[in-house]
Amino acid sequence: MFSAYIIFIVFFIGCRIIVSQNENPPTKKGKENPKFCILIPARDESLVIEDLLKSIVEQTERIPMEDVYVIIESEKDKSLEIAKQYHASVFIRKHLERQRKGYALDECIQEMKKEYDAYFIFDADNILDKNYLKEMKKTYQEGYDLASGYRNLKNKEKSIEIASHLTFSILNGIVNEAKCKDTRNITLSGTGFFIRGEWIKKWQGFPFHELTEDYELTLYSILHDMTSTYNKKAIFFDEAPTTLTTSIRQRKRWIKGYFTTRKKYIQEIRKTITKNGTNNGSRYTEIIGITPIIFILIMFLIPVIRDILLLICQSTFLEAISILSIRILFIYGASSFLTLLLLMKEDKYLHITLEKKIKASIYHPFFLLTYVHAFLLSLLEKDVQWEKIEHQEKQKS
């Protein structure tokens, strides 16, 4: 076990040295008074979209509501009337055979009559902190091509909701913060980000149509030397799945999209690495991908499997069960403790009671195990479809 930890530490330090050696492309200073627009794919989202539109109206950095585009699929959608009440622009899709968020964005952008300096993308169940656009305007003016805000949590009653959100707390609070420190490209997740207008003009649409269009855009940004950053002061709220079944279905899509997108881009990224090249750290990071996580799992599983075999051969059944139970409880306890530390770290933003923190910490290790289930489902289903996440009730921030 000790030698396994030594190997892991050496592996981790080696990866860290490689990815930290980064020379990002220079940023281009943005306009003093930029024109922003907001794109909201909103198929049958009448239960939640009003809260988002209201939060846009209440921004300290105002944006004309005609520059807010609500994308729907039918005039019968109740979201249409809500959008009109807030004087937002409504785009009704024509090519409904293409059922992914990327296609909806692409179709809308191609039909837009105006051009903007930055295009923000949100899900209909998001809510913006009143200073979101104000903070993101500063980031735009610093010259970044892409920037993501801090993803906070709307619904905090159930442990499944908090556990689901912790995936993004880890991605943003640990991974993206480290990437920003090293000036590497961040990993986009979901929505709550902007794209600089020059790129939209170049694409003449939104050319990212994989199951995980956010990750596809991340890999494209690395391949084409786009600059990106993470602004923790630009806060928006997102709704987490309220049931484990819904969460697994969502993560199944993420996992399938992750691997299909990597298959499309990683070879091209590998070819662009040159000695003293620009943005090599970001390229190495994505080539490594989730290898460190797999390595950690292997370092845990090998000793456990070895001990199981030894116990079967050398011990009685009761002795084997007793020793294995102690080991499992140790791993479970360590995982729960780390979860609690993470929740404490994010307390400034999440504002969760101590009781809920403890319950979520107890639940989270079981939630992590369900990633295995979601992974297996993604392997077994060849044609994973984009599925709408149903909202069981109207959420308030």
Side-chain angles (χ1 to χ4, degrees), residues 5 26 50 98 116 193 197 212 224 298 301 373:
Y5 284 120
E50 185 170 7
R98 299 176 176 179
Y116 297 91
F193 61 86
T212 47
H224 294 274
I298 291 172
L301 287 175
H373 183 203

Side-chain angles (χ1 to χ4, degrees), residues 140 154 188 190 277 306 337 385:
Y140 163 81
K154 282 171 65 176
L188 298 171
R306 179 201 63 195
F337 179 69
Q385 297 294 326

Side-chain angles (χ1 to χ4, degrees), residues 194-207:
F194 76 69
I195 304 170
R196 199 178 175 95
E198 287 92 331
W199 289 93
I200 296 290
K201 186 175 181 179
K202 175 183 176 181
W203 301 329
Q204 293 295 302
F206 187 83

Side-chain angles (χ1 to χ4, degrees), residues 230-256:
Y230 165 57
N231 185 346
K232 198 168 186 176
K233 293 182 179 179
I235 302 168
F236 70 102
F237 297 82
D238 185 55
E239 182 179 318
T242 57
T243 67
L244 183 59
T245 301
T246 302
S247 175
I248 290 174
R249 193 169 76 240
Q250 185 183 63
R251 285 178 283 154
K252 176 187 68 176
R253 175 174 59 82
W254 293 347
I255 292 167
K256 192 73 171 183

Side-chain angles (χ1 to χ4, degrees), residues 22-28 143-146 183-185 196 199 202-203 217-228 268-269 272-274 276-283:
N22 204 50
E23 184 183 343
N24 238 358
T27 58
K28 302 174 184 177
Y144 289 98
D145 297 315
L146 299 166
T183 66
R184 286 178 284 146
N185 288 72
R196 199 178 175 95
W199 289 93
K202 175 183 176 181
W203 301 329
L217 176 54
T218 297
L219 295 187
Y220 180 96
S221 73
I222 293 167
L223 181 62
H224 294 274
D225 287 334
M226 296 175 72
T227 56
S228 63
E268 290 300 313
I269 290 174
T272 60
I273 294 176
T274 56
N276 300 320
T278 302
N279 210 21
N280 277 345
S282 296
R283 288 170 164 78

